[in-house]
């Protein structure tokens, strides 16, 4: 490789490491931060100093906005205050930036609150940059330390503390805390990084969610999350492979779009996912957040939503899914079958492709079949849930699976029931549908777990007590729709 090739390879690797670093910073140092209990002014000044330095050090605007959005949300900064800070700190002139800080913060840096948090703020600045040595020696950083009235000796010790925790030398870092009362809040940073290291060292359990278009695959994943996050319509919605990693320490979703131009964002919304999903380039999307409300253990589960393979308008959907299967980079498969339209040629073709990527002796162990849209089965019109499950079993067994593991499910009902529990805003149509679905799934004829091959674990029931105490009918309907059975299966797969 020539010199130019080596240089480019180095730049690509550096950018990759930058992505991972700033992605991690979206997850750290915001939740339970000691400053959250303080008044608005103290949080506002803290954010102002943090943003002023970050916008100078961050080379990528996407990374800056993603990380700063976390603090904007945590500190409850109104849009007008945030925009004011962004506007006045655009200059790269050091003197002008410091003057701007003085204009915004005035004399408030001398109040008691700031005497407690100015050291935390300086350490936080360094913890948000990969280039600690470079930044800590910069004229601008030293000017900020002087602006905060922190001595050179204390500044040097703060730099040493940050280097120690970044190197995971936590005991040495704690020793520094014992020597300085000014650093009494620094233990928060250690706790955050210890938890992050433990999460990083956990083995992932990767579960592929596979189905043909309109089987309800994205609705299935949304029902697990308990909110309408992934695009879900009666058409091809998932154009990219979207992975969702469980992290019960996050109460929001962060995400990365990996492609020609990598983008990072936090507090991911459905509209942001739709935007990424509609881009023409071949990209993958990675999300992370709390996926499972009723599983207390922090299983390191990754759900992968693959595109439906029978989209005649875009062959790339099929290619993306089949390539993902061929990598064999998964531990389990949830195969979604439409209860009202099973056994089609398209479905048989896809399922055959899936079986080719799993050892035959593992078919009954590594694949769980979700028979979805059971809410569309009309028992009063002489349709039978037991009959639907028998047909599904015969269909799958015809392809060679002797003991298929099957769960009847209504993803749509489970999703609506959880939205009602969380008091999320609903459309008029959703309100009308939930009334009908509640009536349906409180009927013993629609108690889906009795037709399942998977037992409902008691631990899931225990974690549902908080829901059951407030909404017993809603809990029962959610159980009958198959939700807790699916969650039990997830917990069992992750615990293997």
């Amino acid at each position: 490789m020539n010199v130019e090739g080596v240089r480019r390879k180095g730049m690509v690797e550096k950018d990759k490491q930058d992505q991972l670093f700033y992605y991690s910073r979206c997850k750290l140092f915001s939740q339970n931060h000691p400053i959250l209990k303080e008044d608005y002014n103290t949080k506002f000044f803290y954010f102002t100093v943090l943003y002023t330095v970050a916008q100078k050090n961050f080379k990528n605007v996407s990374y800056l906005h993603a990380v700063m959005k976390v603090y904007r949300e945590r500190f409850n900064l109104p849009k007008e205050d945030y925009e004011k800070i962004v506007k006045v700190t655009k200059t790269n002139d050091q003197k002008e930036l410091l003057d701007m800080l003085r204009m915004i913060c005035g004399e408030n840096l001398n109040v008691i609150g700031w005497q407690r948090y100015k050291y935390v703020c300086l350490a936080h600045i360094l913890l948000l940059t990969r280039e600690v040595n470079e930044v800590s020696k910069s004229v601008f950083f030293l000017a900020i330390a002087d602006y905060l009235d922190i001595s050179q000796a204390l500044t040097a010790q703060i730099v040493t503390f940050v280097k120690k925790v970044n190197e995971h030398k936590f005991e040495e870092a704690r020793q520094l805390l014992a020597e300085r009362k000014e650093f009494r809040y620094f233990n928060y940073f250690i706790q955050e990084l210890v938890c992050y290291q433990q999460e990083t060292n956990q083995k992932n359990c990767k579960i592929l969610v596979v189905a043909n278009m309109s089987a309800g695959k994205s609705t299935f994943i949304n029902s697990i999350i308990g909110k309408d996050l992934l695009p879900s319509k009666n058409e091809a919605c998932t154009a990219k492979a979207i992975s969702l990693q469980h992290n019960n320490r996050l109460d929001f979703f962060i995400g990365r779009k990996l492609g020609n131009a990598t983008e990072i964002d936090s507090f991911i919304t459905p509209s942001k996912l739709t935007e990424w999903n509609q881009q023409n380039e071949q990209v993958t999307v990675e999300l992370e957040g709390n996926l499972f409300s009723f599983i207390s253990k922090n299983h390191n589960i990754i759900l992968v939503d693959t595109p439906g393979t029978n989209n005649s308008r875009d062959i790339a959907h099929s290619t993306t899914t089949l390539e993902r299967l061929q990598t064999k980079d998964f531990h389990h498969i949830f195969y979604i079958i439409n209860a009202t339209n099973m056994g089609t040629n398209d479905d048989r073709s896809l399922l055959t492709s899936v079986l080719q990527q799993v050892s035959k002796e593992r078919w009954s162990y590594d694949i769980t079949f979700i028979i979805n849209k059971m809410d569309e089965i009309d028992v009063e019109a002489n349709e039978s849930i037991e009959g639907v499950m028998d047909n599904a079993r015969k269909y799958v067994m015809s392809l060679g699976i002797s003991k298929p593991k099957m769960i009847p499910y209504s993803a749509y009902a489970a999703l609506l029931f959880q939205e009602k529990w969380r008091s999320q805003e609903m459309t008029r149509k959703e309100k009308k549908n939930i009334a009908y679905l509640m009536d349906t799934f409180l009927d013993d004829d629609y108690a889906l777990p009795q037709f399942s091959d998977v037992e409902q674990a008691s631990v899931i029931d225990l974690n549902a007590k908080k829901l059951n105490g407030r909404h017993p009918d809603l809990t029962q309907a959610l159980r009958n729709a198959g939700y807790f059975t699916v969650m039990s299966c997830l917990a069992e797969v992750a615990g293997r």
Side-chain angles (χ1 to χ4, degrees):
M1 186 180 294
N2 58 29
V3 175
E4 179 61 22
V6 171
R7 186 185 71 83
R8 287 182 179 176
K9 184 177 179 181
M11 289 176 64
V12 169
E13 182 59 30
K14 182 181 182 303
D15 187 54
K16 182 179 178 181
Q17 293 304 316
D18 283 348
Q19 291 171 24
L20 292 172
F21 178 84
Y22 291 112
Y23 186 73
S24 75
R25 269 22 186 189
C26 288
K27 297 186 277 186
L28 294 169
F29 317 135
S30 64
Q31 197 169 18
N32 303 318
H33 193 294
I35 203 171
L36 292 179
K37 68 179 184 292
E38 299 297 334
D39 62 273
Y40 176 76
N41 280 345
T42 303
K43 290 184 286 190
F44 174 73
F45 302 140
Y46 188 100
F47 179 88
T48 301
V49 175
L50 209 61
Y51 182 90
T52 301
V53 184
Q55 62 87 30
K56 186 174 177 64
N57 292 330
F58 280 45
K59 304 297 189 293
N60 186 300
V61 174
S62 166
Y63 303 165
L64 171 67
H65 288 168
V67 176
M68 288 297 109
K69 187 192 290 185
V70 174
Y71 296 104
R72 173 188 167 186
E73 295 287 339
R74 289 287 186 226
F75 294 178
N76 292 317
L77 255 68
K79 184 179 179 181
E80 56 270 22
D81 281 358
Y82 176 74
E83 290 178 346
K84 174 184 175 183
I85 295 168
V86 172
K87 182 178 180 180
V88 300
T89 58
K90 277 185 176 178
T91 177
N92 286 319
D93 182 84
Q94 175 185 316
K95 182 179 181 305
E96 198 171 344
L97 275 173
L98 288 172
D99 287 342
M100 291 296 181
L101 274 178
R102 294 187 182 97
M103 180 188 76
I104 295 173
C105 300
E107 299 301 319
N108 288 283
L109 292 181
N110 296 320
V111 300
I112 294 175
W114 261 106
Q115 294 310 306
R116 291 197 297 264
Y117 291 108
K118 63 184 183 181
Y119 307 103
V120 179
C121 191
L122 199 66
H124 202 156
I125 287 168
L126 292 175
L127 284 163
L128 291 183
T129 177
R130 285 194 69 218
E131 312 294 341
V132 174
N133 279 328
E134 180 182 329
V135 172
S136 64
K137 294 174 183 177
S138 69
V139 175
F140 183 67
F141 177 78
L142 295 174
I144 288 291
D146 183 61
Y147 167 69
L148 295 175
D149 195 25
I150 300 176
S151 69
Q152 291 183 7
L154 278 175
T155 299
Q157 286 189 304
I158 291 172
V159 173
T160 300
F161 168 81
V162 171
K163 288 179 179 178
K164 296 291 185 188
V165 294
N166 279 345
E167 295 167 359
H168 298 157
K169 297 178 179 178
F170 298 123
E171 289 307 314
E172 292 180 30
R174 286 192 179 95
Q175 185 58 40
L176 285 173
L177 305 192
E179 296 170 2
R180 283 289 181 182
K181 65 178 183 180
E182 295 93 340
F183 298 169
R184 58 187 177 278
Y185 291 129
F186 283 26
N187 194 52
Y188 166 75
F189 295 129
I190 295 176
Q191 292 171 346
E192 285 276 287
L193 284 166
V194 166
C195 287
Y196 177 69
Q197 185 184 31
Q198 291 171 346
E199 291 166 5
T200 304
N201 292 337
Q202 275 187 310
K203 290 184 178 180
N204 291 328
C205 175
K206 196 169 292 185
I207 300 173
L208 295 192
V209 184
V210 181
N212 273 308
M213 187 177 71
S214 300
K217 177 169 48 61
S218 294
T219 302
F220 169 75
I221 294 179
N222 284 339
S223 75
I224 290 175
I225 302 170
K227 62 177 69 175
D228 244 331
L229 182 64
L230 302 187
S232 55
K233 300 175 184 176
N234 290 320
E235 56 189 56
C237 296
T238 305
K240 320 295 181 189
I242 301 176
S243 69
L244 301 97
Q245 181 164 358
H246 177 56
N247 186 334
N248 68 357
R249 295 180 68 242
L250 286 178
D251 57 2
F252 61 96
F253 281 91
I254 60 173
R256 289 194 298 168
K257 184 210 72 174
L258 303 174
N260 295 334
T262 297
E263 188 178 341
I264 295 175
D265 205 354
S266 55
F267 287 85
I268 295 290
T269 61
S271 60
K272 172 55 74 173
L273 272 186
T274 299
E275 175 192 325
W276 284 349
N277 195 46
Q278 291 176 344
Q279 292 183 6
N280 292 327
E281 62 173 312
Q282 282 291 101
V283 303
T284 57
V285 175
E286 297 177 354
L287 303 177
E288 186 170 348
N290 190 350
L291 304 183
F292 315 123
S293 299
F294 300 101
I295 299 180
S296 57
K297 187 177 179 182
N298 193 19
H299 292 297
N300 214 18
I301 296 173
I302 298 177
L303 297 177
V304 181
D305 183 17
T306 57
T309 56
N310 57 333
N311 181 10
S312 59
R313 290 176 296 176
D314 194 342
I315 192 65
H317 288 205
S318 178
T319 302
T320 299
T321 298
L322 295 178
E323 285 179 350
R324 191 67 191 241
L325 285 165
Q326 288 165 5
T327 66
K328 293 183 168 52
D329 181 23
F330 56 86
H331 301 88
H332 199 79
I333 293 173
F334 276 161
Y335 190 94
I336 316 297
I337 293 177
N338 185 342
T340 66
N341 190 29
M342 67 178 75
T344 64
N345 290 336
D346 285 338
D347 192 81
R348 187 176 290 271
S349 175
L350 174 59
L351 183 49
T352 300
S353 296
V354 169
L355 296 178
Q356 289 172 350
Q357 305 307 321
V358 179
S359 300
K360 188 171 183 178
E361 63 272 15
R362 302 283 299 182
W363 283 354
S364 298
Y365 190 69
D366 289 347
I367 305 173
T368 299
F369 292 93
I370 307 295
I371 314 305
N372 192 28
K373 301 194 177 184
M374 296 301 290
D375 52 283
E376 297 184 20
I377 304 303
D378 190 350
V379 172
E380 293 182 355
N382 294 321
E383 293 181 326
S384 162
I385 291 176
E386 186 175 10
V388 170
M389 294 303 293
D390 284 344
N391 288 337
R393 195 166 282 107
K394 289 174 183 176
Y395 161 54
V396 172
M397 290 176 69
S398 71
L399 293 175
I401 304 178
S402 58
K403 293 182 180 179
K405 183 164 58 178
M406 295 189 162
I407 301 175
Y409 191 50
S410 171
Y412 182 58
L415 176 59
L416 286 186
F417 295 158
Q418 289 177 83
E419 289 180 346
K420 181 177 176 64
W421 171 54
R422 293 189 174 90
S423 301
Q424 292 177 215
E425 189 174 338
M426 290 185 174
T427 64
R428 183 180 301 175
K429 182 179 179 181
E430 286 174 333
K431 290 176 182 177
K432 183 178 179 180
N433 287 346
I434 198 170
Y436 164 75
L437 290 169
M438 280 287 290
D439 184 60
T440 299
F441 284 104
L442 287 176
D443 187 328
D444 289 342
D445 287 340
Y446 284 89
L448 301 182
Q450 64 184 309
F451 304 102
S452 174
D453 298 318
V454 176
E455 291 187 8
Q456 186 174 294
S458 59
V459 65
I460 303 298
D461 269 340
L462 289 173
N463 289 333
K465 279 186 176 180
K466 59 183 178 181
L467 170 60
N468 192 34
R470 290 169 52 194
H471 304 287
D473 283 352
L474 199 54
T475 308
Q476 186 60 42
L478 194 54
R479 181 178 291 112
N480 284 349
Y483 174 78
F484 294 122
T485 309
V486 170
M487 300 308 286
S488 294
C489 183
L490 272 167
E492 188 270 328
V493 168
R496 289 175 183 172

